[in-house]
Amino acid sequence: MHFVDAKGILTGGKGRYGMNIYRGCTHGCVYCDSRSACYQFTHPFEDIEVKQNAPELLDRALRSKRQRCMIGTGSMSDPYMHCEEQLGLTRKCLEVILRHGFGAAILTKSDRILRDIDLLEEINRTAKCVVQMTLTTYDDALCRILEPNVCNTRRRIEVLERMGERGIPTVVWLTPILPFINDTPENITSILNECVRIGVKGVVDFGMGLTLREGDREYFYAALDRHFPGMKERYARRYGNAYALQSPNAAALSKIFRDICERDGMLSTPEECFAFMQELPEKHRQLSMFDL
């Protein structure tokens, strides 16, 4: 990893802000979109760029906001990858969020987030906290191939359950679903049934498939050659260089998804899930005269 002093930390606006404390990732997921050339990495993806002044930048930015809102993190780089264990920058940023009375929406695949569960509970008590986990593959042997350097699906489900026990709402990202690999009714049903069991608030699905771009595609195809001989050729024949690769089983899988979510009252569209994650209860949004 290498360290930089960033010029800013928040992106977005109009009450919707996100941040990436790290740039790159060490989880090794074979399908990772963040490897795509369009993001213009100038260093190897596993050589993590650490924004060492992130907590100070965040403190300065939140002090200037006149209205509290949710702060998201994890959309590009997991905030709980391996280097967070020694650096603790994500925790420091969460402490800033708590101190200023903002909410937090965190996306991760890592059980390292449990280190901060007390802090997340306090943010949820004073404002709002939503913990999101990506679950793609119920079979742990397959999970170790697709997501090799991060805890398996069973452990992530345990993390979600622990969050729920503390009253912290959770959202699952059921994506990507890889054609001919994990696009089975058994996989989708097993994951969703676990979501129901532990009381997940909503599940994000983007149509039962994955996306591939330059940089990401090459890495993914190399992984297919290593672990699924002949699969790369199958992809090339069916999809060519398409950006969106929808599973041939998408219609049936989407029906299973909708039926389970509707039956058990889980939010089931990206719009519903994002609206929930971005909404901060009104009583927490306005600053009092004593905060100014």
Side-chain angles (χ1 to χ4, degrees), residues 201-221:
K201 177 69 176 181
V203 182
V204 178
D205 162 59
F206 290 110
M208 300 297 169
L210 82 156
T211 58
L212 293 179
R213 294 187 268 207
E214 181 187 355
D216 173 23
R217 178 180 288 106
E218 290 78 3
Y219 189 84
F220 177 66
Y221 277 178

Side-chain angles (χ1 to χ4, degrees), residues 98-132:
L98 175 63
R99 184 163 66 247
H100 289 285
F102 283 69
I106 305 161
L107 173 61
T108 184
K109 290 188 180 85
S110 175
D111 58 355
R112 294 183 187 90
I113 194 173
L114 288 173
R115 180 201 64 187
D116 296 338
I117 192 168
D118 291 342
L119 183 54
L120 300 174
E121 184 179 23
E122 186 66 10
I123 292 172
N124 192 52
R125 186 187 67 80
T126 59
K128 179 180 177 181
C129 181
V130 182
V131 170
Q132 309 155 69

Side-chain angles (χ1 to χ4, degrees), residues 41-272:
F41 274 79
T42 57
H43 56 86
F45 192 70
E46 287 79 11
D47 176 18
I48 307 303
E49 180 179 284
V50 178
K51 299 175 185 178
Q52 60 186 351
N53 59 335
E56 293 78 15
L57 290 173
L58 183 62
D59 182 66
R60 189 183 313 153
L62 296 190
R63 276 193 278 114
S64 70
K65 305 299 179 191
R66 297 184 63 85
Q67 190 175 61
R68 295 182 175 114
C69 62
M70 299 292 286
I71 307 297
T73 188
S75 61
M76 275 288 293
S77 295
D78 197 306
Y80 286 100
M81 70 182 82
H82 302 82
C83 61
E84 172 62 16
E85 287 187 12
Q86 64 183 97
L87 299 177
L89 289 176
T90 296
R91 182 173 181 86
K92 292 176 182 177
C93 287
L94 290 174
E95 290 170 343
V96 172
I97 288 171
L98 175 63
R99 184 163 66 247
H100 289 285
F102 283 69
I106 305 161
L107 173 61
T108 184
K109 290 188 180 85
S110 175
D111 58 355
R112 294 183 187 90
I113 194 173
L114 288 173
R115 180 201 64 187
D116 296 338
I117 192 168
D118 291 342
L119 183 54
L120 300 174
E121 184 179 23
E122 186 66 10
I123 292 172
N124 192 52
R125 186 187 67 80
T126 59
K128 179 180 177 181
C129 181
V130 182
V131 170
Q132 309 155 69
M133 278 271 176
T134 299
L135 305 180
T136 64
T137 307
Y138 192 71
D139 179 87
D140 282 341
L142 180 57
C143 181
R144 282 190 291 272
I145 293 172
L146 303 181
E147 301 155 345
N149 303 325
V150 67
C151 64
N152 62 28
T153 299
R154 303 294 174 91
R155 178 59 172 163
R156 290 178 226 169
I157 291 169
E158 291 175 5
V159 171
L160 292 167
E161 190 169 19
R162 292 271 299 277
M163 295 294 168
E165 291 168 353
R166 298 289 191 103
I168 301 167
T170 56
V171 169
V172 162
W173 289 62
L174 186 64
T175 183
I177 301 301
L178 311 180
F180 318 121
I181 296 175
N182 65 345
D183 60 337
T184 66
E186 295 77 15
N187 184 48
I188 301 303
T189 301
S190 297
I191 292 174
L192 291 174
N193 284 344
E194 286 293 271
C195 291
V196 171
R197 181 182 66 81
I198 62 177
V200 166
K201 177 69 176 181
V203 182
V204 178
D205 162 59
F206 290 110
M208 300 297 169
L210 82 156
T211 58
L212 293 179
R213 294 187 268 207
E214 181 187 355
D216 173 23
R217 178 180 288 106
E218 290 78 3
Y219 189 84
F220 177 66
Y221 277 178
L224 292 185
D225 277 342
R226 289 194 306 272
H227 301 291
F228 307 96
M231 186 66 74
K232 179 179 72 174
E233 289 72 23
R234 190 174 183 184
Y235 268 69
R237 286 194 301 270
R238 183 175 182 92
Y239 300 109
N241 287 322
Y243 168 66
L245 288 64
Q246 191 176 55
S247 165
N249 304 325
L253 299 178
S254 294
K255 185 178 187 307
I256 292 171
F257 171 75
R258 289 192 303 269
D259 288 349
I260 293 177
C261 289
E262 181 177 346
R263 182 194 70 199
D264 293 287
M266 294 189 296
L267 302 178
S268 60
T269 68
E271 293 77 14
E272 289 175 326

